[in-house]
Amino acid sequence: QVQLVQSGAEVKNPGSSVTVSCKASGDSLRMYSIVWVRQAPGQGLEWMGGIIPIFGTSHYAKKFQGRVTVTADESTNTAYMEVNRLRFDDTAMYYCARGTLNWLPDNWGQGTLVTVSS
Amino acid sequence: DIVMTQSPDSLAVSLGDRATISCKSSQSLLQSSNNKIFLAWYQKKTGQPPKLLIYWASTRESGVPDRFSGSGSGTDFTLTISSLQAEDVAVYYCHQYYNGPFTFGPGTRVDI
């Protein structure tokens, strides 16, 4: 069973960028999908984007296209999500998940809290 | 993008009673080539990551109690908890993985 360990909480200023990492142990990320989902305070789950490293395929929700980049480093078995031009309403818990090649997330990281504050 | 809706927004159920949650998609999630429905259900508790309960609309994930069941076809789906337990208090989300970008429903809160 794969374990996904995400990087620690971040506090960022509006307009800056943040990168959240998601390191896998116990299995590879290469032959799976990796997706990023966030939950703002009091809100529901929001699918942001994802990648399948072996195919080089990626998808992004329209609202995040151009502002969010999802990548994977096969040498370190780590996935990354970068969010640029942070806004106050980007304050949320961000989750990575490993999924099937059909994009079904079935193993989740513990979450990373990103707070955007001036 | 495929839009997912859920009803009700919340419901309160007595211990041991049945809870039923509906989910609708704006287009069919059935892939005719393999007859699979790309619909999953997740349970989300405060302070925990989402937990996969059901995939392919009706296949229970390993380790999930059999009081959880999923049904439906095309665009209308149902998650049923046959006999609600205290540990089932959570928010439940349907999720389509048929067509990217993939989307979640708005969630249904289940309380006792």
Side-chain angles (χ1 to χ4, degrees), chain A residues 4-83:
Chain A
L4 302 176
V5 178
Q6 298 183 221
S7 47
E10 302 263 14
V11 179
K12 293 290 185 180
N13 290 323
S16 67
S17 299
V18 68
T19 298
V20 180
S21 67
C22 173
K23 183 169 178 58
S25 60
D27 200 355
S28 168
L29 290 177
R30 184 168 186 265
M31 298 283 289
Y32 297 89
S33 59
I34 303 150
V35 304
W36 292 86
V37 173
R38 76 178 187 182
Q39 185 174 35
Q43 303 299 310
L45 299 177
E46 185 172 31
W47 196 92
M48 300 178 67
I51 188 171
I52 297 182
I54 191 171
F55 297 148
T57 311
S58 62
H59 286 291
Y60 293 93
K62 283 192 177 66
K63 68 179 285 187
F64 297 114
Q65 275 178 346
R67 201 164 69 89
V68 170
T69 304
V70 174
T71 56
D73 184 340
E74 296 173 33
S75 67
T76 60
N77 218 22
T78 303
Y80 299 91
M81 181 195 60
E82 180 182 29
V83 185

Side-chain angles (χ1 to χ4, degrees), chain B residues 18-56:
Chain B
R18 178 185 300 262
T20 302
I21 300 168
S22 294
C23 170
K24 292 183 191 294
S25 56
S26 60
Q27 67 183 75
S28 176
L29 305 182
L30 172 65
Q31 189 167 80
S32 52
S33 60
N34 56 15
N35 210 35
K36 286 194 178 292
I37 300 172
F38 286 62
L39 187 282
W41 289 95
Y42 290 88
Q43 178 190 65
K44 180 69 171 68
K45 295 181 178 180
T46 303
Q48 297 182 21
K51 176 185 177 183
L52 176 63
L53 298 176
I54 303 284
Y55 58 97
W56 300 134

Side-chain angles (χ1 to χ4, degrees), chain B residues 57-72:
Chain B
S58 61
T59 301
R60 201 178 300 113
E61 172 74 329
S62 174
V64 172
D66 61 6
R67 63 181 180 274
F68 291 93
S69 64
S71 63

